[in-house]
């Protein structure tokens, strides 16, 4: 009770020191009384006890002097500097976590790839440069030409086994041909259906139980899946923008330690966004890979010169249930610089078609499918049209609009 009174009335400095002094005397007196000779008379002990009670009662605050608080007093003004200073002290006490020492950069380099006994120092140095130098081939080469089913099929059984262990079982299917084709290949599925057999359903029919590279392989759609494309894109982006350099690694380590040891402003909103994807501020969450890039429109990409005059756009989409794959080339023949809208020329054999005022990839996709004429509107499933168009500017630059948009987003952060 006394401590509450002192805290509420900081101006009574003299009263605080005087009260503490009396309280200490009472404690001292109690200790001295307890060390008195055991032969002391009952009356003396009674007088001593009465004296202690009198002193203790003198330091007790009467209930009438305790300030009364109504409900309005509980609404603390958080903008008050004194309140903010007190809250910072509380946070430091509640959330204080010791920072871990930053490991040597060499330790990080040793985890970038698997070292084999036959590797020489020059081999190790070359690979480390390949994975860390923003100007290395891996930062520029289109990785889909390096990471695909054809390349996988040329690996040794040992190499395949190591890769299969990195994939969840739901992404693995039985091999259905001597060429190592997965059982869910569209051609094989059509053959099964023609023979009256059921098509393979990953995870339901014949679940994979062993990782024998002669019996199982990645499913047909794995190399085209969003998860694999995102992982491939982030891998290349981390190299291209220096995430794996010493400065990049040190920066990431410092940011991680800061996140672990400090309570950021707006931590409630940030934590909600991390856990649930779309947060209180109605922005895409951090767990959705490059989700913030979704707000970048086709005209914005044109104005940023991601799409340029005379670029070739290649359209490719597989309609698995119909056994149809639509392929078509488009050329950018004009760009409206004021609004970023495109004029494109579509090529189908000897036939050509000009379409104007394109500012939405979904509309562009429907124009392509209408011109192709094989897939009716009622048979077109929903999808992200950004993923079905690729920019072809050179042999080494063929990203999809989806990948180019994410790269532009990452570059502007």
């Amino acid at each position: 009770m006394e401590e509450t009174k002192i805290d509420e009335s900081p101006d009574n400095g003299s009263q605080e020191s005087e009260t503490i002094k009396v309280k200490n005397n009472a404690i001292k007196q109690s200790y001295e009384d307890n060390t008195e000779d055991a032969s002391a008379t009952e009356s003396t002990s009674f007088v001593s006890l009465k004296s202690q009670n009198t002193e203790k009662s003198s330091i007790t605050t009467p209930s009438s002097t305790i300030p009364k608080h109504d409900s309005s007093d509980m609404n603390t003004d958080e903008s008050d500097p004194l309140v903010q200073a007190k809250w910072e002290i509380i946070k430091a006490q509640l959330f204080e976590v010791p920072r871990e020492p930053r490991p040597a950069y060499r330790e990080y380099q040793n985890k970038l790839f698997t070292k084999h006994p036959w590797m020489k120092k020059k081999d190790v140095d070359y690979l480390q440069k390949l994975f860390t130098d923003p100007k290395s081939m891996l930062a520029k080469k289109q990785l889909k030409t390096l990471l695909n089913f054809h390349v996988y099929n040329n690996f040794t059984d040992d190499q395949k086994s190591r890769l299969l262990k990195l994939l969840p079982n739901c992404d693995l299917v039985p091999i259905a041909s001597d060429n190592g084709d997965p059982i869910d290949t569209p051609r094989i599925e059509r053959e099964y259906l023609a023979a009256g057999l059921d098509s393979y359903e990953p995870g339901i029919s014949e679940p994979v139980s062993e990782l024998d590279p002669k019996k199982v392989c990645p499913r047909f759609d794995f190399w085209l899946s969003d998860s694999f494309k995102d992982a491939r894109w982030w891998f290349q982006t981390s190299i291209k923008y220096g995430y794996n350099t010493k400065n990049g690694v040190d920066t990431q380590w410092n940011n991680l330690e800061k996140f672990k040891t400090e309570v950021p402003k707006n931590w409630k909103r940030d934590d909600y966004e991390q856990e649930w994807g779309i947060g209180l501020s109605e922005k895409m969450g951090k767990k959705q890979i490059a989700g913030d890039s979704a707000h970048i429109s086709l005209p914005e990409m044109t104005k940023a010169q991601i799409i340029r005059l005379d670029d070739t756009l290649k359209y490719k989409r597989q309609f698995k249930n119909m056994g149809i794959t639509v392929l078509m080339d488009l050329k950018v023949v004009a760009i409206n610089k004021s609004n970023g809208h495109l004029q494109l020329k579509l090529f189908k054999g000897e036939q050509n078609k000009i379409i104007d005022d394109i500012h939405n990839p979904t509309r562009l996709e429907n124009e392509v499918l209408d011109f192709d004429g094989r897939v009716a509107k009622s048979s077109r499933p929903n999808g992200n049209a950004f993923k079905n168009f690729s920019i072809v500017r050179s042999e080494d630059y063929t990203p999809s609009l989806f990948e180019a948009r994410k790269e532009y987003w990452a570059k502007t952060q």
Side-chain angles (χ1 to χ4, degrees), residues 237-266:
T237 299
S238 65
I239 298 174
K240 189 173 184 178
Y241 292 105
Y243 284 40
N244 297 338
T245 62
K246 185 178 186 308
N247 182 56
V249 171
D250 290 349
T251 300
Q252 292 175 80
W253 179 271
N254 293 337
N255 289 341
L256 176 62
E257 287 302 302
K258 183 178 180 181
F259 174 79
K260 287 163 52 179
T261 59
E262 296 181 14
V263 180
K265 297 177 181 178
N266 307 321

Side-chain angles (χ1 to χ4, degrees), residues 161-189:
S161 296
R162 283 159 46 199
L163 288 173
L164 291 176
K165 291 177 183 178
L166 301 176
L167 302 180
N169 278 15
C170 61
D171 279 330
L172 304 178
V173 296
I175 292 174
S177 74
D178 294 336
N179 295 328
D181 295 325
I183 198 172
D184 63 337
T185 303
R187 174 184 59 80
I188 295 175
E189 285 193 335

Side-chain angles (χ1 to χ4, degrees), residues 204-262:
I204 299 176
S205 51
E206 300 181 34
V208 172
S209 57
E210 57 178 329
L211 302 181
D212 185 346
K214 288 184 170 59
K215 296 181 180 180
V216 299
C217 65
R219 61 185 175 85
F220 175 80
D221 286 340
F222 168 75
W223 308 99
L224 306 174
S225 67
D226 291 343
S227 298
F228 181 69
K229 285 181 179 179
D230 284 332
R232 187 179 65 196
W233 181 83
W234 273 116
F235 171 76
Q236 187 169 54
T237 299
S238 65
I239 298 174
K240 189 173 184 178
Y241 292 105
Y243 284 40
N244 297 338
T245 62
K246 185 178 186 308
N247 182 56
V249 171
D250 290 349
T251 300
Q252 292 175 80
W253 179 271
N254 293 337
N255 289 341
L256 176 62
E257 287 302 302
K258 183 178 180 181
F259 174 79
K260 287 163 52 179
T261 59
E262 296 181 14

Side-chain angles (χ1 to χ4, degrees), residues 97-376:
V97 178
R99 290 201 174 201
E100 296 183 14
R102 187 172 62 213
Y105 180 58
R106 176 64 62 180
E107 294 182 30
Y108 179 81
Q109 286 181 305
N110 292 337
K111 296 177 182 179
L112 286 173
F113 54 88
T114 303
K115 291 183 181 179
H116 297 283
W118 50 264
M119 286 184 176
K120 298 180 181 179
K121 184 179 183 301
K122 64 177 183 179
D123 299 323
V124 174
D125 292 342
Y126 170 75
L127 288 174
Q128 286 179 342
K129 184 175 182 180
L130 197 66
F131 283 105
T132 59
D133 188 355
K135 296 181 180 180
S136 78
M137 180 189 70
L138 288 180
K140 300 176 181 179
K141 191 77 174 175
Q142 286 299 307
L143 294 187
K144 59 187 177 184
T145 63
L146 301 177
L147 303 172
N148 53 54
F149 178 72
H150 176 71
V151 174
Y152 167 83
N153 232 15
N154 289 323
F155 287 161
T156 65
D157 286 346
D158 179 59
Q159 291 170 328
K160 288 180 180 178
S161 296
R162 283 159 46 199
L163 288 173
L164 291 176
K165 291 177 183 178
L166 301 176
L167 302 180
N169 278 15
C170 61
D171 279 330
L172 304 178
V173 296
I175 292 174
S177 74
D178 294 336
N179 295 328
D181 295 325
I183 198 172
D184 63 337
T185 303
R187 174 184 59 80
I188 295 175
E189 285 193 335
R190 289 196 297 272
E191 293 175 358
Y192 269 53
L193 292 174
L197 302 173
D198 294 332
S199 60
Y200 183 85
E201 296 184 43
I204 299 176
S205 51
E206 300 181 34
V208 172
S209 57
E210 57 178 329
L211 302 181
D212 185 346
K214 288 184 170 59
K215 296 181 180 180
V216 299
C217 65
R219 61 185 175 85
F220 175 80
D221 286 340
F222 168 75
W223 308 99
L224 306 174
S225 67
D226 291 343
S227 298
F228 181 69
K229 285 181 179 179
D230 284 332
R232 187 179 65 196
W233 181 83
W234 273 116
F235 171 76
Q236 187 169 54
T237 299
S238 65
I239 298 174
K240 189 173 184 178
Y241 292 105
Y243 284 40
N244 297 338
T245 62
K246 185 178 186 308
N247 182 56
V249 171
D250 290 349
T251 300
Q252 292 175 80
W253 179 271
N254 293 337
N255 289 341
L256 176 62
E257 287 302 302
K258 183 178 180 181
F259 174 79
K260 287 163 52 179
T261 59
E262 296 181 14
V263 180
K265 297 177 181 178
N266 307 321
W267 66 271
K268 287 184 180 179
R269 185 191 67 192
D270 292 344
D271 186 67
Y272 189 93
E273 289 180 3
Q274 286 183 24
E275 293 299 323
W276 297 100
I278 297 180
L280 301 178
S281 60
E282 298 181 357
K283 292 183 178 179
M284 303 297 285
K286 295 176 183 177
K287 282 189 176 178
Q288 299 188 15
I289 299 181
D292 281 338
S293 68
H295 73 275
I296 299 175
S297 65
L298 194 64
E300 287 181 77
M301 295 173 67
T302 303
K303 291 179 180 180
Q305 293 192 329
I306 298 171
I307 302 173
R308 303 174 187 174
L309 190 65
D310 294 328
D311 272 351
T312 296
L313 301 182
K314 283 189 175 291
Y315 177 81
K316 180 180 179 180
R317 186 173 184 184
Q318 182 185 69
F319 297 88
K320 197 171 180 181
N321 294 335
M322 303 174 65
I324 295 174
T325 300
V326 179
L327 301 170
M328 191 173 295
D329 288 351
L330 306 83
K331 187 172 183 178
V332 180
V333 295
I335 296 176
N336 187 326
K337 294 184 179 181
S338 63
N339 58 20
H341 292 192
L342 299 170
Q343 183 185 74
L344 296 132
K345 188 174 185 179
L346 280 61
F347 299 90
K348 186 180 74 168
E350 305 240 347
Q351 299 178 354
N352 298 327
K353 179 183 179 180
I354 298 288
I355 51 175
D356 296 307
D357 200 34
I358 294 298
H359 59 277
N360 185 303
T362 302
R363 185 208 152 188
L364 179 58
E365 181 173 40
N366 283 322
E367 292 279 1
V368 168
L369 295 176
D370 289 344
F371 189 47
D372 179 78
R374 288 181 292 167
V375 182

